[in-house]
Amino acid sequence: MSRGKVLVASVLLAVAGAASAELNQEQAERAVETRQSVLHLMGWNMAPLGAMARDRIDFDAERVATNAGRLLALSRMLSDAFAADTRGNAVDTEALDVIWEQPDEFAAKIQANIDAASALVDVAAAADEGAMREAIGRLGSTCGSCHDDFRADD
Amino acid sequence: MSRGKVLVASVLLAVAGAASAELNQEQAERAVETRQSVLHLMGWNMAPLGAMARDRIDFDAERVATNAGRLLALSRMLSDAFAADTRGNAVDTEALDVIWEQPDEFAAKIQANIDAASALVDVAAAADEGAMREAIGRLGSTCGSCHDDFRADD
């Protein structure tokens, strides 16, 4: 698909918005790519924080502050990223149907992630290492809690 | 690759950091996925703004403000996302070698993108539609300017 067509498809999808919109194959694959991009970047930014909290690498308060801000920005993209309902499409995804079957429960998991990322941003600004370690753990728990219910097992 | 291994690979890559680090195949593919995720999300957030600026969809100042903030956060991830030098790896990528051959020029393109995103955030906060339209155009130009020099043609 050319970049022009990709952009048009993205715009149409953004405009369509509603979770109940019928997606063609191109739109559905694009939607999967979008949500996987958000989650990939969450993992990319979370992984070193988890390693710091577990003393596997040196604690770096500046890196925590940077990545916490990124994680908060990414957490706030989750709702839009999962708005497109791909249940009716043949796509390669670990996203379970229950995401769109139980939207309130899924929204609550996202909010917990946003809240935990926001809390980490706050304690990172205060440069309190003990509080950062705890906040990293709580943030990681919100990731796992959502994966338990809404992501296919390996 | 299991999620555990992915996380370990991400951490090692994050710790290695230096652009000159030798990457194994797994690390290189992960690095490509990271930078493509950043750029995919930039496109996802930019596409509706470009459509608004061209009057293809209704102007939505609230959406501009939301996406501008996201685009700024993403622009600030570009430098880290491209830190891993994959020139020596067999990866499917549109990233040209010149990214790592001319790091100062590439860094300047990133900074121009950050500055333009920041300017859009500012005018969106002021809710000035005309200024937003101009700032969207200038931000789009910084995307295109970098693609011209540092991304493979279609």
Side-chain angles (χ1 to χ4, degrees):
Chain A
M1 181 160 60
S2 76
R3 288 202 186 85
K5 283 187 184 167
V6 165
L7 286 181
V8 169
S10 296
V11 170
L12 292 177
L13 194 55
V15 174
S20 60
E22 291 276 337
L23 304 178
N24 65 33
Q25 188 62 16
E26 193 174 299
Q27 291 170 324
E29 289 174 5
R30 196 79 187 155
V32 170
E33 197 180 341
T34 295
R35 62 201 191 208
Q36 289 183 346
S37 292
V38 175
L39 291 161
H40 175 90
L41 293 181
M42 294 181 89
W44 177 55
N45 283 289
M46 191 64 194
L49 306 196
M52 287 179 207
R54 288 174 177 77
D55 289 318
R56 290 182 186 161
I57 61 174
D58 288 343
F59 199 87
D60 177 347
E62 194 175 337
R63 170 57 56 188
V64 174
T66 296
N67 288 23
R70 293 175 178 179
L71 288 161
L72 179 57
L74 291 163
S75 70
R76 289 175 171 155
M77 298 184 205
L78 284 170
S79 177
D80 281 352
F82 279 91
D85 178 352
T86 56
R87 279 178 294 177
N89 299 91
V91 287
D92 183 14
T93 182
E94 294 178 310
L96 296 177
D97 287 356
V98 68
I99 289 170
W100 299 280
E101 291 164 357
Q102 300 182 359
D104 292 348
E105 288 80 353
F106 186 63
K109 298 285 189 184
I110 289 177
Q111 192 58 52
N113 184 257
I114 293 171
D115 292 344
S118 182
L120 180 58
V121 167
D122 289 344
V123 295
D128 178 338
E129 183 176 325
M132 279 187 266
R133 288 175 178 276
E134 286 178 24
I136 290 167
R138 281 193 292 269
L139 177 54
S141 296
T142 68
C143 301
S145 168
C146 192
H147 294 165
D148 285 346
D149 294 347
F150 294 99
R151 186 178 73 174
D153 293 329
D154 274 325
Chain B
M1 180 160 59
S2 75
R3 290 206 184 84
K5 283 186 182 165
V6 165
L7 287 181
V8 169
S10 296
V11 170
L12 292 176
L13 195 56
V15 173
S20 60
E22 292 276 337
L23 303 178
N24 65 34
Q25 188 61 18
E26 194 174 298
Q27 291 170 325
E29 288 174 5
R30 196 81 185 154
V32 170
E33 197 180 340
T34 295
R35 62 200 191 208
Q36 288 183 347
S37 293
V38 175
L39 291 161
H40 176 90
L41 293 181
M42 293 181 88
W44 177 56
N45 284 289
M46 190 66 193
L49 305 196
M52 287 179 208
R54 287 175 178 77
D55 289 318
R56 291 181 187 162
I57 60 175
D58 288 342
F59 199 87
D60 176 346
E62 194 175 338
R63 170 56 56 188
V64 174
T66 296
N67 288 22
R70 293 174 178 180
L71 287 161
L72 178 56
L74 291 163
S75 70
R76 290 175 169 155
M77 298 184 205
L78 284 170
S79 178
D80 281 352
F82 279 92
D85 178 352
T86 56
R87 280 178 293 178
N89 299 91
V91 287
D92 184 13
T93 182
E94 294 178 311
L96 296 177
D97 287 356
V98 69
I99 289 170
W100 299 280
E101 290 163 358
Q102 299 183 0
D104 291 349
E105 288 80 353
F106 187 63
K109 298 286 189 184
I110 289 176
Q111 191 58 51
N113 184 257
I114 293 171
D115 291 345
S118 182
L120 180 58
V121 167
D122 289 345
V123 295
D128 178 338
E129 182 175 326
M132 279 187 265
R133 289 175 176 276
E134 288 178 22
I136 290 167
R138 281 193 293 268
L139 177 54
S141 296
T142 68
C143 301
S145 168
C146 191
H147 293 165
D148 285 347
D149 295 346
F150 294 98
R151 186 179 72 173
D153 293 329
D154 273 325

